[in-house]
């Protein structure tokens, strides 16, 4: 019997648990540990902030879901990993002390490195939790006129909700007849787009932003936020009346001291999703050291690859499933400028972009499909 431990109840951990429950015989034990029993469907948090769905539409209870798939669920905080002893230390929660494993899947996502931006917590809205999205929604409701800044801090690596927020706000203010009283600016350390040099995406996005009269300020690496202004490390500053920022991301602190991560604590894996130079350990999702944006669809595909390979390893077979690093995402503009982008990041092929009302609709359907098949 093998004891498989999965850390993290996000897209990556949930899909890995479900896949392993299908692929491994019943004699093997599968346990999922996460700090909260609630799974959050992050791609819907922009819609939650704008009142297009409710809190209960964006999360579900993992304990019920996992039980029905013969996976043990433990609500607890992971403190550290010892891959040599094959042991995970739990800081607090439903269990305390150590959990032993034969195989480990690490899927603890990213850490928000808000300490790198002075004043972030005090003065910026963000969209990295259900509560934060609802707080931002309240501020949108109260906003009437002035300057709105929406953006990414250096290292945020999540452009989609930035564009979706800007488009949704522009449309809402149009509906309220207040669009002319607001100036909307997107700020970013990078040029517009999802990946450097993607001219197709840059062109399509620039056209859509200008159709909504949304400015884009590249080369704007935010360093500090005060009650009414953002300032950058290269001496720029903008005053604001409403601010939504994605903070810098970093890998999980639970592995940062093990010598298996890069400078930002992201874990080095190969294309089978096995952690480089550590036996019986896989890492998947936002926590891994791959280039480009950090997206849920990547976490899902990595989880499928890792689970298939782990099941093969348990049965004594060679690993045969390999991950290909692709962007496949939708930016919902709320109308005919919504776009689907596909790009293979590991080749130099240009991204393909398709635009139309259909893609916004497809994103909503994608969420319903996810809920129906995983909750
Ligand atoms: C506002 C927003 C919009 C987005 N839009 C899109 C989109 O349109 N398309 C797309 O593909 N992606 C989108 N993403 C990105 C996507 O949500 C992430 O890439 C995805 O959630 C990563 O999954 P994960 O399982 O690796 O990490 P997470 O979803 O972050 O899950 C990590 C899990 O580990 C748990 N955890 C962390 N640390 C500990 C610890 N120490 N102990 C115990 N448990 C712990 C967390 O509670 C969580 O359950 C969006 C993200 C946000 C925030």
């Amino acid at each position: 019997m093998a004891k498989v431990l999965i850390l993290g109840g996000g897209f990556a951990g949930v899909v890995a648990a479900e896949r392993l429950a299908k692929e491994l015989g019943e004699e093997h034990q599968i346990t999922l540990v996460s700090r909260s029993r609630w799974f959050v469907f992050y791609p819907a948090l922009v819609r939650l902030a704008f009142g297009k769905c409710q809190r209960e539409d964006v999360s579900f209870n993992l304990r019920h879901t996992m039980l029905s798939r013969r996976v043990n669920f433990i609500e607890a905080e992971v403190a550290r990993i010892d891959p040599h002893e094959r042991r995970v230390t739990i800081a607090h929660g439903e269990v305390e002390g150590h959990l032993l494993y034969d195989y480990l899947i690490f899927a603890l996502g990213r850490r928000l490195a808000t300490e790198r931006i002075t004043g972030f917590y005090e003065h910026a809205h963000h969209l990295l939790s259900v509560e934060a999205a609802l707080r931002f929604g309240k501020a949108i409701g109260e906003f009437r006129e002035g300057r709105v800044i929406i953006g990414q801090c250096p290292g945020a690596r999540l452009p989609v909700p930035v564009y979706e927020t800007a488009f949704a706000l522009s449309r809402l203010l149009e509906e309220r007849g207040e669009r002319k009283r607001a100036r909307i600016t997107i700020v970013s350390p990078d040029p517009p787009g999802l990946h450097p040099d993607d001219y197709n995406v840059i062109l399509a996005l620039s056209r859509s932003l200008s159709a909504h009269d949304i400015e884009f300020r590249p080369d704007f690496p935010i360093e500090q936020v005060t009650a009414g202004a953002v300032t950058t490390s290269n001496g720029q500053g903008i005053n604001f009346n409403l601010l939504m920022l994605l903070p810098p991301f970093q890998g999980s602190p639970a592995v940062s001291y093990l010598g298996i991560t890069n400078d930002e604590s992201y874990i080095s894996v190969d294309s089978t999703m096995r952690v480089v130079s550590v036996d019986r350990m896989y890492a998947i999702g936002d926590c891994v050291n791959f280039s480009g944006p950090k997206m849920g669809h990547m976490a899902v595909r990595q989880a499928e690859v890792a689970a298939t390979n782990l099941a093969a390893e348990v049965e004594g077979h060679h690993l045969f499933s390999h991950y290909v690093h692709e962007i496949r995402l939708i930016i919902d503009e709320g109308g005919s400028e919504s776009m689907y982008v596909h790009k293979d990041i590991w080749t130099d092929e240009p991204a393909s972009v398709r635009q139309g009302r259909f893609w916004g609709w497809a994103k909503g359907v994608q969420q319903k499909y996810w809920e129906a098949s995983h909750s």
Side-chain angles (χ1 to χ4, degrees), residues 197-336:
D197 305 330
D198 256 337
Y199 294 109
N200 295 344
V201 183
I202 293 173
L203 254 176
L205 267 173
S206 304
R207 265 199 315 260
S208 305
L209 292 174
S210 94
H212 280 276
D213 197 19
I214 297 168
E215 290 171 280
F216 192 96
R217 279 275 287 266
D219 193 24
F220 199 89
I222 291 178
E223 188 181 53
Q224 190 177 8
V225 186
T226 56
V230 281
T231 47
T232 66
S233 50
N234 55 12
Q236 305 176 71
I238 308 182
N239 293 341
F240 65 80
N241 302 91
L242 180 63
L243 175 71
M244 195 291 283
L245 288 180
L246 294 185
F249 293 168
Q250 209 171 303
S252 168
V255 284
S256 52
Y257 57 93
L258 287 176
I260 57 172
T261 60
N262 70 357
D263 292 349
E264 292 181 307
S265 299
Y266 293 121
I267 305 173
S268 302
V269 290
D270 62 23
S271 67
T272 66
M273 303 314 298
R274 215 159 41 164
V275 177
V276 173
S277 68
V278 179
D279 286 342
R280 300 190 182 195
M281 179 172 173
Y282 294 76
I284 51 178
D286 280 5
C287 64
V288 304
N289 179 17
F290 287 148
S291 62
K294 299 219 166 268
M295 305 299 301
H297 70 88
M298 296 169 179
V300 166
R301 184 62 199 129
Q302 291 166 11
E304 291 167 349
V305 168
T308 302
N309 286 329
L310 192 156
E313 202 180 342
V314 169
E315 305 293 342
H317 303 309
H318 288 297
L319 311 195
F320 58 87
S321 185
H322 291 269
Y323 172 70
V324 175
H325 197 34
E326 290 177 317
I327 292 174
R328 278 180 187 277
L329 57 81
I330 293 172
I331 299 176
D332 183 6
E333 175 270 347
S336 58

Side-chain angles (χ1 to χ4, degrees), residues 85-99:
E85 299 291 328
R86 295 199 191 120
R87 195 170 67 177
V88 171
T89 306
I90 301 295
H92 53 83
E94 287 175 346
V95 298
E96 274 177 38
H98 302 301
L99 292 173

